[in-house]
């Protein structure tokens, strides 16, 4: 194909206008702006099922904005979002979201187990009783992230890594099919990072889709199957093996990464 | 109307003239002093300070009567109000610093408690034989009725002093209001400057108590700075514009109130300032609502137009109704969605610019330039004509855009 | 504790207590959401609300007054939100602009209208008149079973009871939503919870509580009860559920002690005249908060505060 479409899609391959019907998360023409400058512009993205996808780009490139606008947490100027082929409001039960740690007040009067149970609030409704089985599940989710002994702690007493594990446990409690994580590895210790990645890989093995905003290029090949490169606009997307290339990283990061670094990241494991 | 003119020209009597001048000065001082509080995002501290004056007024009255005085000496009452307002301020600071409660909760708690205590003291005073005509209720809403000559002098002198103090302290206070950490790094004692800022606000509050009352003095500290913010992006100017707005509201408000019956001074001053606020909110260039709405709609249209043209260039279907309407209105597509001649030309241009950007990003791996590849910034605003000509050479001959069949 | 108590003290204490509870419940969430001063703003705009209601209806009947006050509270909340968003002004300053302006308008209208013949004045709006809400027909505790006497209960009691019950029911029904939307608004939205509408509903509920309480006890109590009991409760526990109970307990304690001190305190000092009960209740709640600040088991900050999110 030599139509202008191929060229205009700048860095990526030509995209199908319509996402596959079972696509966990598909975004079309999404534009968000804070004031007069687009934070992300006309972004198309298609995240695959049963895979771990990373959203990658420099600081201020709109990675978190893409995630939050997809979820409707911040308003969008244009564009549409479908989750498993339906508008997002009909698929809320199938999505679990892990926000950035810094977005909440950790001095809030509540315990670790309470926070995990918040993941069940949609399921139990406003007044439904939290059954013994659900309580057991919340406890079990805490166990899966290695936080079972902390159930009764006040959340303010946790370290950054522990807070992140609690947020992940809350998402697990939702038992969703699509997990959206905003910088899950930011500011956590090495043990937590390993624990989180194990859980996420477990999710993928169970047929779930995981999409994470990620900033550490050196771990992309080890952790993820699919990448989405963004710098205000979509720069490239595809399987790590074909899209996580020096050219695409260069296009995404401009001169911000040294050439040697880029080659290193892109070729680290091949 | 002539009564108003008389009042504005200070011909409505000696007292009225003093009050008008005093209110003008007070308004200026309040606007300027309030600016620092507003820029420090602590505007409502003034609310707590104002309400916290009430118990001081009550205690001062009781003390003066107990000591054999008449209890209504304005100086004495103002000294008492200053003392209790200062205590309130220190308590707010203490609660916010020493406990987990946020400053807004501390403000509300001090405000409610002190005000309640003040009301208790007022009811105590009402039962005292000397208290029946004390008229302390006028401190709630202010009053110029029965204002003595010396009261007007206190307001005029106090207003002048407050303006002078604001002028003297303007540099350190601007620094702290704008960037407290930087001020601390420069060796300024932020806490003391903060306290000075609050002290100034307290002084203005105390002077204004008699004239506009403790509830409405808050308005004079908050409304002028907020209004001024619409007209400038520079903190130095906010101070003076706020001062001017406060001064004009105070002067005109006092004159208006002197020119007609049943026009209480405090509310008229506040409503004058509020009128200026509403005008600024709606009409100010740049930050005003009308300008913002216009800008946002233009911006949204730009985004949709650009996205639509990109879609045409890539021969993708356009799904968003607004984009379709916009392109059709501009004659770029036919009602059935097929691009017109003009639409194809525009799309070709957009496609060409996109390809220029691709080349530009390969050539210039400088994040500063390519970071402006946000879909909306025209390429000729980032690169020179020579550079663009160079991109075009590397591109080869322009590609044609076909209509979507 | 005989007939005189039932006749003169029982209903004011009950009304004060219910008013305190109705305000303290939403106050817990307002404090955690850093919106404590919304209560302050609402209580100031009640005055213009009742003045406008009086001008429209020409009567001082309770229902139009309540509707006017509630309307003013809603208008104020919308205006604050509009000023905040349209003018890009920080919430504190936006509140300050709106409520002082509306209050000034209320005072001006009051002065321009001849309301001297009716019982409508600023002092009443501020202080309420808790002491006068007596149960005149009561002859003793047995009156609680006497339908005729019960029918003569002050109507304020019924109104504040309904308001308190409404606030309590709403708190229970929306408990989970309130909790998650207050803790983590982004996740609440991702779960499909209408967080914005919920926030607005909370403020409106607070306004309803404020208006009903204001009717009986004036706006001083309203400001103090929104903030002091929940703030003190925050320093007692790290569990939201327990914090709510503490705040209710502190609200009740403030109301009862405040009323007793106001009514009987002066007698202890040899004076014969009672002082403002509303003011005293507010003062007592402040003292309780002060003690909690000094000795509360959880008075110190633990977790990192929220970073200012964009």
């Amino acid at each position: 194909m030599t139509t202008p479409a191929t060229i205009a899609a700048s860095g990526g391959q030509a995209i199908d206008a319509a996402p596959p019907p079972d696509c966990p998360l598909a975004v079309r023409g999404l534009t968000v702006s804070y004031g007069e400058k687009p934070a992300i512009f006309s972004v198309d993205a298609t995240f695959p099922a049963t895979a771990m996808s990373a959203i990658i780009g420099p600081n201020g490139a709109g990675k978190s904005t893409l995630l939050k606008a997809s979820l409707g947490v911040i308003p969008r100027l244009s564009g549409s979002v479908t989750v498993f082929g339906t508008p997002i409001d009909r698929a809320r039960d199938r999505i679990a979201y892990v926000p950035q740690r810094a977005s909440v007040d950790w001095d809030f009067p509540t315990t670790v187990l309470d926070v995990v149970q918040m993941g069940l609030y949609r399921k139990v409704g406003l007044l439904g009783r939290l059954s013994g089985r659900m309580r057991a599940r919340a406890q079990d989710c805490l166990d899966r992230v290695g936080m079972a002994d902390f159930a009764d702690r006040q959340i303010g007493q946790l370290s950054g890594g522990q807070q992140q594990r609690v947020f992940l446990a809350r998402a697990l409690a939702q038992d969703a099919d699509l997990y959206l994580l905003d910088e899950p590895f930011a500011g956590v210790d090495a043990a937590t990072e390993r624990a989180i990645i194990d859980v996420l890989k477990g999710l993928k093995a169970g047929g779930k889709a995981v999409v994470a905003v990620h900033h550490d290029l050196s771990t992309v090949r080890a952790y993820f199957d699919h990448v989405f490169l963004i710098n205000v606009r979509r720069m490239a997307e595809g399987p790590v093996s074909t899209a996580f290339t020096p050219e695409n990283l260069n296009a995404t990061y401009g001169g911000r990464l040294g050439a040697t670094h880029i080659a290193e990241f892109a070729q680290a494991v091949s | 109307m002539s009564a108003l003119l008389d009042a504005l020209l200070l011909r409505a009597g000696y007292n009225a003239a003093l009050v008008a001048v005093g209110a003008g000065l007070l308004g200026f001082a309040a606007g300027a002093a309030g600016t620092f509080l507003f820029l420090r995002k602590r505007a409502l501290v003034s609310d707590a300070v104002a309400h916290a004056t009430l118990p001081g007024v009550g205690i001062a009255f009781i003390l003066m009567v107990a000591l054999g005085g008449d209890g209504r000496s304005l100086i004495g009452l103002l000294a008492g109000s200053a003392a209790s307002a200062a205590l309130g301020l220190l308590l707010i600071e203490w609660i916010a610093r020493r406990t987990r409660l946020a400053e807004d909760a501390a403000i509300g708690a001090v405000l409610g408690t002190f005000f309640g205590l003040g009301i208790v003291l007022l009811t105590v005073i009402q039962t005292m034989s000397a208290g029946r005509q004390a008229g302390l209720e006028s401190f709630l809403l202010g009053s110029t009725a029965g204002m003595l000559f010396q009261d007007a002098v206190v307001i005029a002198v106090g207003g002048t002093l407050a303006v002078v103090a604001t002028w003297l302290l303007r540099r350190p206070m601007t620094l702290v209001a704008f960037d407290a950490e930087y001020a601390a790094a420069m060796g300024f004692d932020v806490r003391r400057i903060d306290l000075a800022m609050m002290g100034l606000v307290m002084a203005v509050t105390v002077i204004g108590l008699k004239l506009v009352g403790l509830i409405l003095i808050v308005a004079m500290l908050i409304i002028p700075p907020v209004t001024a913010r619409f007209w400038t992006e520079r903190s130095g100017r906010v101070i003076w514009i706020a001062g001017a707005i406060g001064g004009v509201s105070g002067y005109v408000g006092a004159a208006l109130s002197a020119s007609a019956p049943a026009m209480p001074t405090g509310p008229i001053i506040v409503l004058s300032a509020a009128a200026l606020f509403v005008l600024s909110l709606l009409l100010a260039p740049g930050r005003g609502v009308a300008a913002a709405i216009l800008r946002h709609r233009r911006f949204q249209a730009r985004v949709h137009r650009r996205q639509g043209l990109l879609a045409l260039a890539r021969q993708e279907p356009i799904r968003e109704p607004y984009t379709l309407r916009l392109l059709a209105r501009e004659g770029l597509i036919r009602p059935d969605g097929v691009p017109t001649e003009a639409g194809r030309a525009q799309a070709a241009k957009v496609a060409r610019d996109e390809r220029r950007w691709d080349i530009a990003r390969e050539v210039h791996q400088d994040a500063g330039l390519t970071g402006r590849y946000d879909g909306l910034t025209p390429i000729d605003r980032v690169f020179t004509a020579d550079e663009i000509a160079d991109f075009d050479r590397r591109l080869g001959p322009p590609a044609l855009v076909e209509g979507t069949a | 504790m005989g007939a005189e108590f039932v006749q003169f003290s029982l209903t004011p204490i009950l009304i004060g207590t219910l008013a305190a509870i109705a305000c303290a419940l939403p106050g817990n969430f307002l404090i955690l959401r850093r919106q404590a001063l919304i209560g302050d703003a609402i209580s100031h705009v009640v005055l213009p609300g009742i003045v406008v209601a009086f001008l429209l209806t020409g009567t001082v009947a309770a229902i139009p007054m309540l509707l006017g006050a509630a309307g003013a509270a809603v208008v104020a909340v919308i205006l604050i939100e509009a000023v905040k968003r349209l003018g890009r002004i920080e919430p504190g300053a936006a509140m300050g602009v709106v409520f002082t302006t509306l209050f000034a308008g209320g005072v001006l209208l009051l002065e321009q209208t001849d309301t001297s013949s009716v019982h409508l004045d600023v002092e009443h709006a501020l202080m309420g008149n808790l002491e006068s809400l007596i149960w005149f027909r009561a002859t003793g505790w047995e009156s609680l079973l006497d339908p005729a006497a019960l029918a003569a209960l002050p109507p304020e009691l019924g109104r504040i009871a309904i308001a308190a019950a409404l606030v309590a029911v709403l708190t229970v029904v929306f408990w989970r939503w309130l909790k998650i939307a207050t803790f983590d608004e982004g996740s609440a939205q991702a779960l499909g919870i209408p967080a914005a509408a919920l926030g607005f509903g909370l403020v409106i509920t607070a306004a309803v509580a404020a208006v009903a309480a204001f009717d009986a006890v004036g706006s001083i109590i309203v400001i103090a009860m929104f903030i002091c009991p929940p703030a003190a409760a925050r320093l007692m526990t790290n569990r939201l559920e327990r914090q709510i109970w503490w705040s209710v307990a502190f609200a009740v304690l403030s109301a009862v002690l405040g009323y007793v001190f106001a009514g009987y305190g002066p007698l202890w000092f040899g004076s014969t005249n009672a002082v403002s009960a509303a003011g005293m209740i507010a003062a007592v709640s402040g003292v309780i908060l002060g003690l909690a600040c000094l000795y509360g088991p959880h008075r110190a900050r633990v977790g990192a505060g929220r970073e200012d999110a964009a």
Side-chain angles (χ1 to χ4, degrees):
Chain A
M1 284 221 306
T2 51
T3 57
T6 340
I7 307 158
S10 47
Q13 54 284 82
I15 26 160
D16 297 334
D22 235 22
C23 173
L25 175 63
V27 170
R28 290 292 174 265
L30 190 62
T31 300
V32 177
S33 91
Y34 305 111
E36 293 283 294
K37 187 166 164 50
I40 56 176
F41 178 81
S42 198
V43 167
D44 294 325
T46 311
F47 293 99
T50 321
M52 284 180 57
S53 309
I55 300 174
I56 292 169
N59 288 332
K63 304 185 293 282
S64 298
T65 303
L66 171 60
L67 209 59
K68 285 190 220 160
S70 302
L71 282 163
V73 174
I74 50 177
R76 42 189 188 243
L77 208 59
S78 72
S80 62
V81 176
T82 51
V83 173
F84 297 108
T86 68
I88 186 156
D89 278 323
R90 269 189 270 156
R92 295 267 176 207
D93 286 326
R94 303 180 68 183
I95 310 170
Y97 168 53
V98 180
Q100 282 184 17
R101 267 192 304 123
S103 66
V104 306
D105 175 10
W106 289 95
D107 199 32
F108 194 84
T110 191
T111 62
V112 167
L113 189 62
D114 249 1
V115 172
V116 178
Q117 285 174 352
M118 285 182 193
L120 300 166
Y121 281 4
R122 197 179 158 79
K123 220 152 270 165
V124 293
L126 274 177
L127 292 173
R129 221 175 59 80
L130 221 54
S131 65
R133 227 180 59 232
M134 282 172 161
R135 281 166 206 279
R137 186 159 104 213
Q139 186 65 44
D140 180 53
C141 291
L142 268 181
D143 200 29
R144 279 166 72 189
V145 298
M147 290 287 292
D149 299 337
F150 292 78
D152 288 324
R153 289 277 183 93
Q154 206 256 332
I155 52 171
Q157 299 165 358
L158 305 178
S159 73
Q162 290 167 339
Q163 291 173 348
Q164 195 67 57
R165 289 177 192 224
V166 173
F167 265 7
L168 181 61
R170 178 176 69 177
L172 292 176
Q174 282 178 254
D175 196 19
D177 296 316
L178 168 64
Y179 290 78
L180 300 171
L181 302 89
D182 199 346
E183 301 260 16
F185 305 117
V188 306
D189 53 290
T192 298
E193 181 156 340
R194 264 196 310 281
I196 293 177
I197 203 68
D198 285 346
V199 169
L200 296 182
K201 287 192 165 163
L203 289 174
K204 186 184 94 174
K208 317 284 191 184
V210 176
V211 176
V213 170
H214 192 60
H215 67 284
D216 181 4
L217 294 179
S218 66
T219 51
V220 170
R221 276 179 186 277
Y223 293 172
F224 295 96
D225 314 302
H226 182 96
V227 286
F228 183 88
L229 295 165
I230 182 170
N231 189 352
V232 183
R233 312 185 58 173
R234 186 183 77 129
M235 292 300 168
E237 73 180 307
V240 169
S241 54
T242 59
F244 194 64
T245 61
E247 299 77 45
N248 286 338
L249 284 173
N250 231 331
T252 309
Y253 284 83
R256 266 175 268 203
L257 293 175
T260 43
H261 271 95
I262 288 184
E264 212 174 285
F265 295 144
Q267 306 303 327
V269 189
S270 37
Chain B
M1 212 49 209
S2 71
L4 174 58
L5 205 64
D6 278 346
L8 281 175
L9 297 174
L10 303 179
R11 291 193 306 232
Y14 199 45
N15 255 18
L18 260 183
V19 168
V21 170
L25 284 169
L26 178 72
F28 190 93
T35 300
F36 299 107
L37 218 53
F38 167 61
L39 292 177
R40 196 121 170 73
K41 298 198 182 355
R42 298 167 85 176
L44 283 177
V45 170
S46 60
D47 198 23
V49 172
H51 283 78
T53 55
L54 195 57
V57 171
I59 290 174
F61 182 88
I62 293 172
L63 269 181
M64 285 192 287
V65 169
L67 294 175
D70 105 358
R72 278 181 292 174
S73 150
L74 187 59
I75 302 277
L77 295 178
L78 295 189
S81 69
S84 74
L87 181 65
L89 263 181
L90 291 176
L91 276 177
I92 291 174
E93 211 238 6
W94 180 76
I95 293 175
R97 197 161 40 86
R98 297 295 294 277
T99 76
R100 73 195 324 159
L101 296 174
E103 192 175 45
D104 65 333
I107 289 173
V110 166
L111 187 159
T113 308
F114 274 62
F115 197 52
L117 201 59
I119 295 291
V120 168
L121 289 169
L122 285 192
T123 51
V124 169
I125 289 170
Q126 275 167 1
T127 66
M128 292 165 53
S129 54
R132 297 204 194 281
Q133 266 90 46
L136 295 187
E137 292 75 22
S138 72
F139 281 86
L140 292 175
L141 295 171
S143 139
T144 47
M147 188 183 263
L148 300 173
F149 173 69
Q150 62 156 17
D151 297 350
V153 171
V154 168
I155 291 168
V157 171
T160 313
L161 286 179
V163 171
V164 172
T166 312
W167 166 257
L168 290 177
L169 290 170
R170 74 194 183 285
R171 291 216 175 94
M173 292 198 298
T174 309
L175 205 57
V176 169
F178 176 63
D179 184 351
E181 273 181 30
Y182 180 69
M186 277 176 75
F188 284 95
D189 184 339
V190 172
R191 211 178 136 216
R192 270 174 57 188
I193 295 171
D194 262 339
L195 283 178
M197 201 186 283
M198 309 284 174
L200 197 56
V201 165
M202 196 184 82
V204 171
T205 307
V206 167
I207 301 163
L209 272 189
K210 181 74 187 168
L211 188 63
V212 295
L214 63 88
I215 298 174
L216 292 177
I217 186 69
V218 179
M220 298 188 68
L221 286 159
I222 297 180
I223 298 178
V226 173
T227 307
R229 186 69 187 81
F230 284 105
W231 297 95
T232 176
E233 299 286 337
R234 290 174 43 186
S235 71
R237 290 195 188 152
V238 179
I239 301 167
W240 304 120
I241 297 177
I245 290 169
V248 169
S249 320
Y251 186 81
V252 173
L256 264 174
S257 127
S259 66
M263 296 277 266
T265 318
I268 296 292
I269 292 177
V270 173
L271 291 173
S272 309
L276 291 174
F277 166 77
V278 171
L279 282 180
S280 307
L281 173 71
L282 296 177
L283 300 177
R287 293 180 72 94
V289 171
I293 291 176
L294 218 62
R295 227 175 20 239
H296 181 78
R297 296 192 57 165
R298 263 195 232 129
F299 179 71
Q300 195 170 23
R302 248 174 85 203
V303 167
H304 278 264
R305 185 173 186 279
R306 184 84 183 175
Q307 278 184 270
L309 288 173
L310 273 172
L312 289 185
R314 293 174 193 166
Q315 301 185 336
E316 288 165 13
I318 300 170
R319 279 190 217 82
E320 297 220 17
Y322 177 56
T323 314
L324 288 169
R325 274 205 314 277
L326 195 73
L327 293 183
R329 202 166 61 211
E330 295 189 10
L332 299 173
I333 54 172
R334 299 204 311 244
D336 57 0
V338 176
T340 61
E341 199 59 43
R344 275 205 292 277
Q346 295 265 2
K349 220 169 133 246
V350 167
R352 191 193 57 199
D353 276 355
E354 285 292 303
R355 285 181 300 144
R356 283 169 167 173
W357 267 113
D358 288 342
I359 303 287
R361 287 177 27 243
E362 271 171 37
V363 177
H364 297 269
Q365 299 213 332
D366 171 356
L369 291 177
T370 51
R372 301 188 60 187
Y373 176 60
D374 56 16
L376 286 184
T377 311
I379 192 164
D380 50 14
R381 205 181 289 166
V382 182
F383 298 100
T384 62
D386 293 352
E387 287 171 312
I388 295 176
D390 178 46
F391 303 151
D392 286 348
R393 262 195 306 284
R394 291 163 190 251
L395 269 175
L400 285 174
V401 175
E402 317 274 326
T404 32
Chain C
M1 291 300 231
E4 200 182 322
F5 174 82
V6 175
Q7 199 175 11
F8 292 108
S9 295
L10 180 64
T11 43
I13 288 181
L14 272 179
I15 291 171
T17 304
L18 289 169
I21 294 173
C23 292
L25 283 176
N28 280 291
F29 293 99
L30 292 178
I31 282 188
L32 290 170
R33 296 163 80 98
R34 307 275 187 275
Q35 292 180 325
L37 291 169
I38 277 278
D40 179 31
I42 291 172
S43 62
H44 279 91
V45 303
V46 162
L47 175 74
I50 58 173
V51 177
V52 170
F54 171 75
L55 289 179
L56 289 179
T57 64
T59 66
V60 282
I63 298 301
M65 297 279 141
L66 286 176
L67 289 177
V74 173
V75 167
V77 169
I78 293 171
L79 282 179
I80 289 170
E81 205 53 34
V83 167
K84 211 164 74 183
R85 296 211 180 150
L86 296 178
R88 283 177 290 160
I89 292 167
E90 53 115 356
M95 274 188 242
V97 170
V98 170
F99 80 72
T100 55
T101 302
L102 291 177
F103 190 83
V107 175
L108 179 62
L109 279 178
L110 198 59
E111 294 277 329
Q112 297 264 311
T113 331
D114 181 27
T115 47
S116 51
S117 54
V118 293
H119 184 63
L120 180 67
D121 58 71
V122 175
E123 246 174 86
H124 176 71
L126 291 174
M127 306 184 204
N129 206 355
L130 190 55
E131 298 85 347
S132 70
L133 301 177
I134 52 175
W135 190 9
F136 199 64
R137 286 283 301 274
T139 52
W141 290 104
E142 67 278 3
S143 297
L144 286 174
L145 301 172
D146 172 10
L150 284 174
L153 276 168
E156 283 85 354
L157 179 61
R159 289 200 287 269
I160 190 66
I162 291 170
L166 179 73
V167 170
V169 167
L170 286 174
T171 308
V172 170
V173 168
F174 288 101
W175 175 256
R176 283 176 185 150
W177 282 16
L178 281 168
K179 188 169 168 182
I180 189 169
T182 303
F183 170 58
D184 183 354
E185 187 164 8
S187 291
Q189 282 171 310
L191 280 173
I193 291 169
L198 192 69
F200 190 70
L202 173 64
V203 174
I204 297 302
T205 308
V208 169
V211 169
F214 159 85
D215 174 37
V217 295
S219 55
I220 310 166
I221 289 200
V222 172
I223 305 174
M225 288 306 125
F226 268 127
I227 298 170
C228 290
R234 179 69 196 91
L235 307 177
M236 301 303 292
T237 172
N238 270 328
R239 300 289 299 271
L240 187 56
E241 291 79 359
R242 288 180 204 157
Q243 179 186 322
I244 300 282
W245 287 115
W246 274 108
S247 73
V248 169
F250 285 147
V252 172
L253 194 64
S254 308
V256 174
L257 282 183
Y259 185 82
V260 170
F261 288 162
Y264 301 98
L267 302 180
W268 304 334
F269 290 100
S271 168
T272 47
N273 295 292
V275 298
S276 159
M280 190 57 93
I281 291 173
V284 170
S285 75
V287 171
I288 292 175
L289 173 59
L291 290 174
C293 284
L294 286 172
Y295 306 112
H298 295 281
R299 61 186 180 278
R301 211 164 271 139
V302 181
R306 185 196 332 236
E307 288 170 23
D308 272 346

